[in-house]
Amino acid sequence: MRWSGQELGVEQSDALPGLAKLNNLVRSVQTPDFAGVTFHEVLAKSALNKVPGQSAMPFGWTINPYRGCTHACAYCLGPETSITMADGRQQPLWSVEVGDEVLGTHVVDGFRRYTASKVLAKWETRKRAHRVSLADGTELIASGDHRFLTNRGWKHVTGAMSGPGQRPYLTTANSLIGFGSRGVGRAPSVLQLVGAMVKTTSDLGIVAIDDLGEDVDMLDITTTTGDFIANGVVSHNCFARPTHTYLDLDAGDDFDRQIIVKVNVADVLRTELAKPSWRRDAVALGTNTDPYQRAEGRYSLMPGIIDALATSGTPFSILTKGTLLRRDLPLIVEAAKLVPVDVAMSIAIYDHELQQSVEPGTPSAKARLATVSAVREAGLDCAVFLMPILPYLTDTKAHLDDALRQAKAAGATSVLYTALHLRAGVKPWFMQWLEREHPELVPKYRSMYYGNNAYAPKAYRRWLGERIHPLIRAHGLERGREDPVTGGIRSTALTGGAAVELPEVFGSPADPAALF
């Protein structure tokens, strides 16, 4: 692993004590190619992860070479920002702790209402400071990445109309939502606010957005509602993925900046596969973290994993969004001569703008379709996961027809679909995205995925099946199905002319990008 970056050394573990749970930190590395990200190279004691016995998945084991993701966003505020607590007190952000209850909001029946919100995580960073000044005298110090709720939806402090930095951003034509810092004393008590509709009671029009020209220490929190009230206005937070908390790492900022890399995973795997007790059960790759995420281009852990599985006689499957799979196609072809292997590409959204909005930082549908073609040209079959299908967004006949046409043209040998499945850890993140990008759909999604309901209603799934099955047949595509031999989805074409709908999405929702 020769990086053209900076080795921080094992002393980094002193700053991140939870890494001791990872069994032997080798070194921590930063590189210009991944600005702001630290890779913690560890010597793992195990490579194979046993799937719980009650799971309905066709595989019994998984391998996850990486923990963490570089796709998340960074949000932060000045530490003196006043936070409205659930009991009505005002506290500076620096004094708010994990477990505290603050005032947040949620959408009920299409209307945003105040509610109590528990702090799940807190972290600090250093960012370029901007001052947002409002007409009532309220001032907010925030990073350019931070988002506030405006009269036109969620917007970042800074952004651009086009190019790499394109995103919704604040202008002096916007007003923020809330009661403002000047209206705190005149606002109704929190007991009155909880359950009440969010209404702007002060003049919160933006009068200036100033770049302060320096980096300053900032803080942010993650809450159960995905937002909180900062200086009297509704402020967005990053809904943290909880997987890093086991390591005593921050569930928010650390998830995308502290990446765990099991550098010895292939060697450990060989040892585990050589044990007499190993029964050559199916092993699935890509069910929790994508094995072909960008860091794999640096670490090249997959070639050793593929070789270890093949030479031990262990069948396996690979599910990925990563076009880096093409690098290892010769190895996968050779492995397929020794053991059953299934390959699948996840390609859910074929509208480019929508895909980039839902899956920022991931390869485009066009690039993934080209990878399907490359797999086929290498002599392997390849399934396409047309999942999840997003109600009212990608379930139109036009989108489904175009998706299936492109999958067929790329050479897909089987296809699977399923409607959107919103587990508890993903639902708040997805709903925040929906409120920002498609607020008109929020009431419809709330009615479909109400309470703890994670699945689309049976009636909707039945309707979707009736819509998509004729299109699948029309494009000459075959059905895909779970394969207990490889632990994945059988990529070899079958007869039957209809795709199977899976009960839930393969993959962990801990990373939002992994859901799609």
Side-chain angles (χ1 to χ4, degrees):
M1 318 300 177
R2 297 299 181 187
W3 285 44
S4 59
Q6 176 185 3
E7 181 175 346
L8 302 180
V10 296
E11 66 271 12
Q12 182 74 11
S13 61
D14 295 334
L16 299 169
L19 292 178
K21 296 180 181 180
L22 291 172
N23 307 316
N24 304 323
L25 175 67
V26 177
R27 66 174 183 168
S28 297
V29 180
Q30 294 176 341
T31 175
D33 292 348
F34 293 84
V37 177
T38 301
F39 291 88
H40 302 285
E41 300 174 359
V42 302
L43 296 177
K45 290 185 178 179
S46 63
L48 289 164
N49 304 303
K50 178 66 175 175
V51 176
Q54 67 271 24
S55 172
M57 294 298 99
F59 49 86
W61 300 86
T62 65
I63 301 171
N64 299 299
Y66 304 96
R67 293 187 67 163
C69 175
T70 56
H71 292 160
C73 297
Y75 310 97
C76 39
L77 290 169
E80 296 297 331
T81 302
S82 181
I83 306 301
T84 304
M85 309 301 288
D87 61 5
R89 293 177 296 114
Q90 298 291 321
Q91 286 187 206
L93 179 55
W94 60 262
S95 71
V96 176
E97 301 294 343
V98 172
D100 288 349
E101 284 200 339
V102 300
L103 187 66
T105 75
H106 63 162
V107 177
V108 180
D109 299 328
F111 296 98
R112 184 174 295 276
R113 299 178 183 274
Y114 289 109
T115 186
S117 184
K118 189 173 183 178
V119 177
L120 300 176
K122 179 182 178 181
W123 65 93
E124 61 184 48
T125 186
R126 190 170 180 82
K127 290 284 185 180
R128 181 87 166 205
H130 295 77
R131 180 177 56 238
V132 180
S133 302
L134 308 182
D136 77 335
T138 296
E139 290 189 349
L140 300 130
I141 304 299
S143 72
D145 293 320
H146 202 86
R147 279 187 285 167
F148 295 99
L149 186 60
T150 78
N151 57 327
R152 296 183 180 179
W154 291 104
K155 291 195 175 186
H156 296 269
V157 172
T158 62
M161 293 293 292
S162 61
Q166 182 179 8
R167 61 186 184 185
Y169 62 96
L170 300 179
T171 71
T172 52
N174 297 142
S175 293
L176 300 191
I177 304 299
F179 40 80
S181 63
R182 304 297 181 182
V184 168
R186 300 190 301 274
S189 71
V190 172
L191 291 178
Q192 291 176 287
L193 282 175
V194 171
M197 288 178 55
V198 175
K199 296 181 179 179
T200 299
T201 57
S202 297
D203 185 355
L204 302 183
I206 297 175
V207 296
I209 303 165
D210 299 310
D211 184 340
L212 299 184
E214 62 176 342
D215 292 350
V216 302
D217 293 330
M218 293 189 178
L219 299 170
D220 203 1
I221 56 176
T222 289
T223 69
T224 51
T225 58
D227 66 0
F228 54 96
I229 310 303
N231 280 6
V233 299
V234 183
S235 171
H236 191 280
N237 69 195
C238 177
F239 194 87
R241 282 76 67 209
T243 56
H244 264 31
T245 57
Y246 165 76
L247 307 173
D248 298 330
L249 292 174
D250 188 275
D253 199 46
D254 284 343
F255 189 84
D256 61 304
R257 297 186 181 278
Q258 308 292 340
I259 310 300
I260 312 304
V261 186
K262 303 174 185 177
V263 293
N264 64 332
V265 65
D267 292 337
V268 172
L269 178 61
R270 292 182 194 280
T271 300
E272 292 177 332
L273 297 176
K275 293 179 178 179
S277 58
W278 178 244
R279 300 173 56 187
R280 296 177 176 81
D281 294 323
V283 174
L285 292 154
T287 63
N288 187 32
T289 56
D290 196 321
Y292 285 106
Q293 61 177 277
R294 269 201 316 145
E296 173 62 15
R298 287 284 189 175
Y299 282 101
S300 296
L301 301 181
M302 281 297 289
I305 293 172
I306 292 168
D307 181 69
L309 292 169
T311 56
S312 70
T314 300
F316 64 94
S317 63
I318 299 174
L319 169 62
T320 183
K321 299 179 189 142
T323 56
L324 188 58
L325 171 78
R326 298 172 71 167
R327 180 200 65 190
D328 292 345
L329 276 177
L331 294 174
I332 298 172
V333 169
E334 290 303 310
K337 295 176 182 178
L338 301 176
V339 296
V341 176
D342 277 317
V343 178
M345 286 295 297
S346 175
I347 317 174
I349 304 173
Y350 294 72
D351 177 284
H352 182 69
E353 289 187 6
L354 180 61
Q355 186 266 330
Q356 288 297 300
S357 176
V358 177
E359 303 178 314
T362 61
S364 65
K366 181 178 180 181
R368 285 184 244 178
L369 288 164
T371 303
V372 172
S373 298
V375 173
R376 298 290 287 122
E377 291 168 4
L380 298 172
D381 292 309
C382 188
V384 164
F385 276 43
L386 182 59
M387 55 198 296
I389 293 173
L390 308 180
Y392 305 104
L393 288 172
T394 63
D395 60 357
T396 65
K397 280 189 177 181
H399 187 277
L400 294 173
D401 185 61
D402 184 54
L404 294 167
R405 176 186 60 77
Q406 292 190 56
K408 178 67 175 180
T413 43
S414 65
V415 65
L416 298 95
Y417 80 93
T418 190
L420 177 65
H421 173 246
L422 288 177
R423 300 185 193 183
V426 169
K427 186 181 292 186
W429 171 85
F430 182 84
M431 293 307 296
Q432 290 163 25
W433 172 84
L434 193 70
E435 289 173 18
R436 183 179 77 248
E437 300 295 336
H438 297 279
E440 75 282 1
L441 296 181
V442 169
K444 294 181 179 179
Y445 271 76
R446 290 289 183 191
S447 66
M448 293 179 70
Y449 298 95
Y450 61 88
N452 295 322
N453 188 29
Y455 296 94
K458 288 184 179 179
Y460 174 82
R461 285 180 278 161
R462 183 167 53 251
W463 171 86
L464 181 60
E466 292 172 353
R467 166 163 286 190
I468 196 171
H469 290 169
L471 295 174
I472 292 168
R473 289 192 294 270
H475 287 286
L477 284 162
E478 304 291 343
R479 60 186 285 260
R481 74 178 183 210
E482 299 172 3
D483 190 339
V485 176
T486 64
I489 295 301
R490 186 171 297 172
S491 54
T492 304
L494 303 172
T495 58
V500 63
E501 180 190 1
L502 295 185
E504 62 178 280
V505 178
F506 275 22
S508 168
D511 172 12
L515 179 64
F516 302 105

